[in-house]
């Protein structure tokens, strides 16, 4: 079996049939999460309905955990789901960051730090693809970082939309979550780069042999 075939081979409970499914409940949740991205941008940037935008962000962050739990619980882990879930996570994070930066909810250095990590990961994925490997499996550190960021965003928006004690408390909680999320996001990125480097070295040794 080629490296590409091994990298793209379906995984998860239920064997090949489960891994190849498209119409599953977890995938449906992921599709709905994707639709939530443009809805959030419209609410936050066009009509400036901050309360509704907070609700959309909160649902998007919560459903990130729900779809994975349902997939494992029902044995509906699929290759499509493994691709959709991190895609939805990244779109939520990037869309929220750009929207928050545009309305000055978060400073641009914070946004730049997260975008730099995404560029690093895209470069690693391009290198892996060139050597016949698919995307690496999502690490729990990366999932934890994503959870912290998705939890921080609605809290930061709440801080920006309110005043007095509520705003101060929400800002403290939100930025605590956000900075921990940023640190773990970079830790996960470094782990992916190390994993990619090992795979590339192994591929080159195989060619040389």
């Amino acid at each position: 079996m080629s490296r590409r075939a091994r990298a793209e081979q379906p995984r998860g409970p239920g064997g090949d049939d489960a891994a190849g499914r498209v119409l599953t409940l977890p995938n449906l949740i992921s599709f709905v999460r994707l639709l939530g991205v443009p809805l959030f941008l419209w609410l936050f940037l066009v009509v400036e309905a901050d309360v509704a935008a907070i609700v959309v962000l909160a649902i998007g962050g919560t459903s990130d955990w729900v779809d994975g739990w349902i997939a494992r619980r029902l044995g509906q882990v699929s290759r499509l789901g493994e691709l959709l879930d991190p895609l939805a996570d990244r779109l939520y994070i990037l869309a929220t960051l750009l929207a928050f930066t545009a309305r000055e909810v978060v400073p641009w250095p914070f946004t730049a730090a997260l975008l730099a990590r995404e560029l690093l990961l895209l470069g690693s994925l391009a290198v892996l693809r060139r050597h016949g490997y698919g995307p690496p499996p999502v690490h729990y550190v990366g999932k934890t970082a994503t959870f912290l960021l998705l939890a921080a965003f609605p809290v930061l928006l709440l801080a920006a939309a309110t005043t007095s004690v509520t705003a101060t408390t929400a800002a403290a909680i939100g930025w605590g979550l956000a900075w921990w999320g940023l640190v773990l996001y970079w830790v996960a990125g470094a782990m992916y780069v190390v994993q990619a480097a090992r795979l590339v070295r192994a591929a080159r040794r195989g060619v040389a042999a």
Side-chain angles (χ1 to χ4, degrees), residues 4-208:
R4 184 182 298 274
R6 288 195 301 269
E8 296 181 352
Q9 186 176 16
R11 298 182 300 275
D16 292 344
D17 290 340
R21 291 176 188 167
V22 173
L23 299 178
T24 65
L25 181 57
N27 288 350
L28 177 61
I29 295 174
S30 294
F31 280 123
V32 172
R33 290 185 69 220
L34 288 172
L35 293 176
V37 174
L39 175 60
F40 161 74
L41 291 174
W42 179 75
L43 290 171
F44 188 66
L45 294 178
V46 179
V47 300
E48 296 190 3
D50 291 351
V51 174
I54 290 174
V55 173
V56 172
L57 280 182
I59 293 174
T62 303
S63 58
D64 174 47
W65 176 83
V66 171
D67 62 355
W69 182 84
I70 291 177
R72 292 186 297 271
R73 185 77 172 179
L74 300 181
Q76 293 183 348
V77 176
S78 66
R79 182 56 178 162
L80 178 61
E82 291 176 343
L83 296 175
L84 282 178
D85 188 46
L87 174 62
D89 290 344
R90 284 190 174 84
L91 286 178
Y92 262 102
I93 289 173
L94 292 176
T96 304
L97 274 175
L98 295 177
F100 277 17
T101 305
R103 284 189 51 185
E104 300 182 348
V105 176
V106 301
W108 66 263
F110 186 87
T111 301
L114 278 175
L115 292 178
R117 188 272 192 184
E118 289 300 316
L119 291 176
L120 175 68
L121 187 60
L122 285 175
S124 300
L125 291 176
V127 172
L128 285 174
R129 178 63 64 179
R130 188 161 55 245
H131 286 82
Y133 292 102
V138 177
H139 197 275
Y140 76 91
V141 175
K143 291 297 293 182
T144 302
T146 299
F147 173 80
L148 290 173
L149 290 170
L150 292 178
F153 292 149
V155 179
L156 290 174
L157 183 51
L158 177 64
T162 56
T163 57
S164 70
V165 178
T166 302
T168 302
T169 303
I173 296 173
W175 280 114
L177 293 170
W179 282 111
W180 270 111
L182 176 62
V183 170
L184 291 180
Y185 213 52
W186 268 98
V187 170
M191 294 172 67
Y192 290 138
V193 170
V194 170
Q195 183 179 0
R198 289 174 178 171
L199 291 172
V200 170
R201 284 197 297 269
R204 288 174 175 171
R205 285 197 298 267
V207 172

